[in-house]
Amino acid sequence: MFRLDQVSKTFQHALALDRISLEVAPGKTTVLIGPSGCGKSTLLRLLIGLIKPDQGTVFFDGFALDAATIPAIRRRLGYVIQQGGLFPHLTARQNVTVMADYHGWEAGRIDARIAELAGLTHFPADALDRYPGELSGGQNQRIALMRALFLDPDVLLLDEPLGALDPMIRYELQQDLRQVFGTLGKTVVMVTHDLAEAAYFGHAIVLMRDGRIAQRGTLQDMMSSPADEFVGRFIRAQRDHLSVPGAAT
Ligand code: ADP
Ligand code: MG
């Protein structure tokens, strides 16, 4: 679905991505993981064309991302930024429908789509007219997900969608999210810093370090044959949390 060919990105003094080559399989969930600052969010922002690589090319469905192709490609991508990015002055419903309003959808079609997505994401319909500040963290993440799904994109890009949630809410939302991904068969690229979560969602896990890919594969691959000393250390540091049942198959 995506192919990155030797992609690099530098910010002022920071080399955020260093000659990344990567393929993202369609219909599967690819998880980006690694220490804070290793380039996960930058990689996601490159995939949606919000930033341009200094070197190398990002391809989506065979097309190189550039000024000419990005508008059409964006319509096929749903994106949830780190922290959710909801508009605080809009209600949940208004947040969810911004893109549909922009495209001039009729009210009836919008209502039907909201009902469908609220069911899919287990969002309580009677809370749709509340503002983000009046909803729980988990509910806000469901809203962010509904907004990203509204126009039925082929691809979902999610930047730490469960990062700020307390453990029980997070557990519930993990289960719901994986069910949504499975039901819809979307291509998903998701960022997390939690290895158990990566294993739970990821058909492929991409472990990054300092703007490079340290290892790509399954958690089992990384545990049985770590590519280098860093991979082994990263896994050992999280071993106490590696008890989530039912990794993605
Ligand atoms: P991660 O999401 O893995 O925590 P990021 O992709 O956000 O990491 O950042 C990678 C590196 O690039 C970091 O060193 C970060 O400080 C730097 N960086 C990211 N975005 C910017 C920016 N807009 N301006 C300057 N530096 C940035
Ligand atoms: Mg980030």
Side-chain angles (χ1 to χ4, degrees), residues 129-143:
D129 293 309
R130 292 195 211 146
Y131 292 89
E134 302 168 333
L135 296 166
S136 70
Q139 286 172 333
N140 278 327
Q141 286 306 88
R142 289 173 204 274
I143 290 297

PDB file of all heavy atoms in Angstrom, residues 129-143:
ATOM      1  N   ASP A 129     -23.711  15.003  21.498  1.00  0.00           N
ATOM      2  CA  ASP A 129     -23.819  16.457  21.511  1.00  0.00           C
ATOM      3  C   ASP A 129     -23.047  17.107  22.650  1.00  0.00           C
ATOM      4  O   ASP A 129     -23.203  18.288  22.932  1.00  0.00           O
ATOM      5  CB  ASP A 129     -25.301  16.866  21.502  1.00  0.00           C
ATOM      6  CG  ASP A 129     -25.934  16.470  20.166  1.00  0.00           C
ATOM      7  OD1 ASP A 129     -25.352  16.831  19.118  1.00  0.00           O
ATOM      8  OD2 ASP A 129     -26.947  15.747  20.161  1.00  0.00           O
ATOM      9  N   ARG A 130     -22.167  16.311  23.259  1.00  0.00           N
ATOM     10  CA  ARG A 130     -21.271  16.881  24.270  1.00  0.00           C
ATOM     11  C   ARG A 130     -19.972  17.345  23.621  1.00  0.00           C
ATOM     12  O   ARG A 130     -19.598  16.888  22.549  1.00  0.00           O
ATOM     13  CB  ARG A 130     -20.947  15.831  25.337  1.00  0.00           C
ATOM     14  CG  ARG A 130     -22.149  15.475  26.163  1.00  0.00           C
ATOM     15  CD  ARG A 130     -21.686  14.743  27.419  1.00  0.00           C
ATOM     16  NE  ARG A 130     -22.714  13.797  27.814  1.00  0.00           N
ATOM     17  CZ  ARG A 130     -22.473  12.623  28.376  1.00  0.00           C
ATOM     18  NH1 ARG A 130     -21.233  12.236  28.609  1.00  0.00           N
ATOM     19  NH2 ARG A 130     -23.457  11.846  28.708  1.00  0.00           N
ATOM     20  N   TYR A 131     -19.277  18.223  24.339  1.00  0.00           N
ATOM     21  CA  TYR A 131     -17.980  18.711  23.883  1.00  0.00           C
ATOM     22  C   TYR A 131     -16.873  17.787  24.396  1.00  0.00           C
ATOM     23  O   TYR A 131     -17.061  17.102  25.405  1.00  0.00           O
ATOM     24  CB  TYR A 131     -17.762  20.147  24.391  1.00  0.00           C
ATOM     25  CG  TYR A 131     -18.696  21.122  23.733  1.00  0.00           C
ATOM     26  CD1 TYR A 131     -19.954  21.389  24.273  1.00  0.00           C
ATOM     27  CD2 TYR A 131     -18.330  21.740  22.539  1.00  0.00           C
ATOM     28  CE1 TYR A 131     -20.833  22.255  23.639  1.00  0.00           C
ATOM     29  CE2 TYR A 131     -19.208  22.610  21.894  1.00  0.00           C
ATOM     30  CZ  TYR A 131     -20.454  22.864  22.452  1.00  0.00           C
ATOM     31  OH  TYR A 131     -21.318  23.712  21.814  1.00  0.00           O
ATOM     32  N   PRO A 132     -15.719  17.775  23.717  1.00  0.00           N
ATOM     33  CA  PRO A 132     -14.626  16.896  24.147  1.00  0.00           C
ATOM     34  C   PRO A 132     -14.310  17.023  25.640  1.00  0.00           C
ATOM     35  O   PRO A 132     -14.035  16.019  26.306  1.00  0.00           O
ATOM     36  CB  PRO A 132     -13.447  17.351  23.277  1.00  0.00           C
ATOM     37  CG  PRO A 132     -14.104  17.808  22.017  1.00  0.00           C
ATOM     38  CD  PRO A 132     -15.396  18.459  22.451  1.00  0.00           C
ATOM     39  N   GLY A 133     -14.368  18.246  26.180  1.00  0.00           N
ATOM     40  CA  GLY A 133     -14.085  18.451  27.599  1.00  0.00           C
ATOM     41  C   GLY A 133     -15.091  17.779  28.516  1.00  0.00           C
ATOM     42  O   GLY A 133     -14.843  17.637  29.717  1.00  0.00           O
ATOM     43  N   GLU A 134     -16.232  17.393  27.966  1.00  0.00           N
ATOM     44  CA  GLU A 134     -17.275  16.748  28.772  1.00  0.00           C
ATOM     45  C   GLU A 134     -17.294  15.225  28.569  1.00  0.00           C
ATOM     46  O   GLU A 134     -18.216  14.566  29.008  1.00  0.00           O
ATOM     47  CB  GLU A 134     -18.650  17.315  28.399  1.00  0.00           C
ATOM     48  CG  GLU A 134     -18.753  18.816  28.579  1.00  0.00           C
ATOM     49  CD  GLU A 134     -19.998  19.417  27.943  1.00  0.00           C
ATOM     50  OE1 GLU A 134     -20.531  18.855  26.956  1.00  0.00           O
ATOM     51  OE2 GLU A 134     -20.438  20.470  28.432  1.00  0.00           O
ATOM     52  N   LEU A 135     -16.278  14.728  27.857  1.00  0.00           N
ATOM     53  CA  LEU A 135     -16.210  13.286  27.580  1.00  0.00           C
ATOM     54  C   LEU A 135     -14.946  12.705  28.197  1.00  0.00           C
ATOM     55  O   LEU A 135     -13.986  13.428  28.458  1.00  0.00           O
ATOM     56  CB  LEU A 135     -16.196  13.051  26.060  1.00  0.00           C
ATOM     57  CG  LEU A 135     -17.456  13.488  25.314  1.00  0.00           C
ATOM     58  CD1 LEU A 135     -17.199  13.524  23.811  1.00  0.00           C
ATOM     59  CD2 LEU A 135     -18.617  12.548  25.629  1.00  0.00           C
ATOM     60  N   SER A 136     -14.946  11.389  28.414  1.00  0.00           N
ATOM     61  CA  SER A 136     -13.750  10.742  28.964  1.00  0.00           C
ATOM     62  C   SER A 136     -12.678  10.618  27.878  1.00  0.00           C
ATOM     63  O   SER A 136     -12.961  10.767  26.684  1.00  0.00           O
ATOM     64  CB  SER A 136     -14.115   9.355  29.488  1.00  0.00           C
ATOM     65  OG  SER A 136     -14.401   8.500  28.404  1.00  0.00           O
ATOM     66  N   GLY A 137     -11.464  10.319  28.311  1.00  0.00           N
ATOM     67  CA  GLY A 137     -10.368  10.145  27.357  1.00  0.00           C
ATOM     68  C   GLY A 137     -10.671   9.055  26.340  1.00  0.00           C
ATOM     69  O   GLY A 137     -10.404   9.204  25.144  1.00  0.00           O
ATOM     70  N   GLY A 138     -11.247   7.956  26.818  1.00  0.00           N
ATOM     71  CA  GLY A 138     -11.576   6.850  25.921  1.00  0.00           C
ATOM     72  C   GLY A 138     -12.653   7.249  24.913  1.00  0.00           C
ATOM     73  O   GLY A 138     -12.572   6.901  23.727  1.00  0.00           O
ATOM     74  N   GLN A 139     -13.649   7.996  25.389  1.00  0.00           N
ATOM     75  CA  GLN A 139     -14.710   8.441  24.471  1.00  0.00           C
ATOM     76  C   GLN A 139     -14.153   9.398  23.426  1.00  0.00           C
ATOM     77  O   GLN A 139     -14.522   9.342  22.255  1.00  0.00           O
ATOM     78  CB  GLN A 139     -15.838   9.108  25.263  1.00  0.00           C
ATOM     79  CG  GLN A 139     -16.683   8.102  26.033  1.00  0.00           C
ATOM     80  CD  GLN A 139     -17.673   8.767  26.969  1.00  0.00           C
ATOM     81  OE1 GLN A 139     -17.465   9.883  27.439  1.00  0.00           O
ATOM     82  NE2 GLN A 139     -18.766   8.059  27.223  1.00  0.00           N
ATOM     83  N   ASN A 140     -13.230  10.273  23.846  1.00  0.00           N
ATOM     84  CA  ASN A 140     -12.634  11.193  22.873  1.00  0.00           C
ATOM     85  C   ASN A 140     -11.845  10.438  21.809  1.00  0.00           C
ATOM     86  O   ASN A 140     -11.851  10.824  20.629  1.00  0.00           O
ATOM     87  CB  ASN A 140     -11.736  12.211  23.590  1.00  0.00           C
ATOM     88  CG  ASN A 140     -12.545  13.359  24.167  1.00  0.00           C
ATOM     89  OD1 ASN A 140     -13.562  13.759  23.600  1.00  0.00           O
ATOM     90  ND2 ASN A 140     -12.118  13.880  25.299  1.00  0.00           N
ATOM     91  N   GLN A 141     -11.181   9.358  22.215  1.00  0.00           N
ATOM     92  CA  GLN A 141     -10.447   8.581  21.220  1.00  0.00           C
ATOM     93  C   GLN A 141     -11.410   7.880  20.255  1.00  0.00           C
ATOM     94  O   GLN A 141     -11.106   7.710  19.078  1.00  0.00           O
ATOM     95  CB  GLN A 141      -9.519   7.572  21.885  1.00  0.00           C
ATOM     96  CG  GLN A 141      -8.283   8.196  22.504  1.00  0.00           C
ATOM     97  CD  GLN A 141      -7.498   9.053  21.522  1.00  0.00           C
ATOM     98  OE1 GLN A 141      -7.765  10.246  21.361  1.00  0.00           O
ATOM     99  NE2 GLN A 141      -6.538   8.480  20.834  1.00  0.00           N
ATOM    100  N   ARG A 142     -12.570   7.470  20.751  1.00  0.00           N
ATOM    101  CA  ARG A 142     -13.573   6.881  19.859  1.00  0.00           C
ATOM    102  C   ARG A 142     -14.074   7.915  18.853  1.00  0.00           C
ATOM    103  O   ARG A 142     -14.316   7.612  17.679  1.00  0.00           O
ATOM    104  CB  ARG A 142     -14.738   6.304  20.673  1.00  0.00           C
ATOM    105  CG  ARG A 142     -14.357   5.051  21.447  1.00  0.00           C
ATOM    106  CD  ARG A 142     -15.458   4.582  22.388  1.00  0.00           C
ATOM    107  NE  ARG A 142     -14.895   3.792  23.477  1.00  0.00           N
ATOM    108  CZ  ARG A 142     -14.662   2.473  23.415  1.00  0.00           C
ATOM    109  NH1 ARG A 142     -15.005   1.785  22.345  1.00  0.00           N
ATOM    110  NH2 ARG A 142     -14.099   1.842  24.409  1.00  0.00           N
ATOM    111  N   ILE A 143     -14.213   9.167  19.321  1.00  0.00           N
ATOM    112  CA  ILE A 143     -14.621  10.246  18.421  1.00  0.00           C
ATOM    113  C   ILE A 143     -13.553  10.493  17.353  1.00  0.00           C
ATOM    114  O   ILE A 143     -13.854  10.636  16.165  1.00  0.00           O
ATOM    115  CB  ILE A 143     -14.875  11.548  19.233  1.00  0.00           C
ATOM    116  CG1 ILE A 143     -16.138  11.396  20.086  1.00  0.00           C
ATOM    117  CG2 ILE A 143     -14.994  12.762  18.332  1.00  0.00           C
ATOM    118  CD1 ILE A 143     -17.397  11.195  19.293  1.00  0.00           C
TER     119      ILE A 143
END
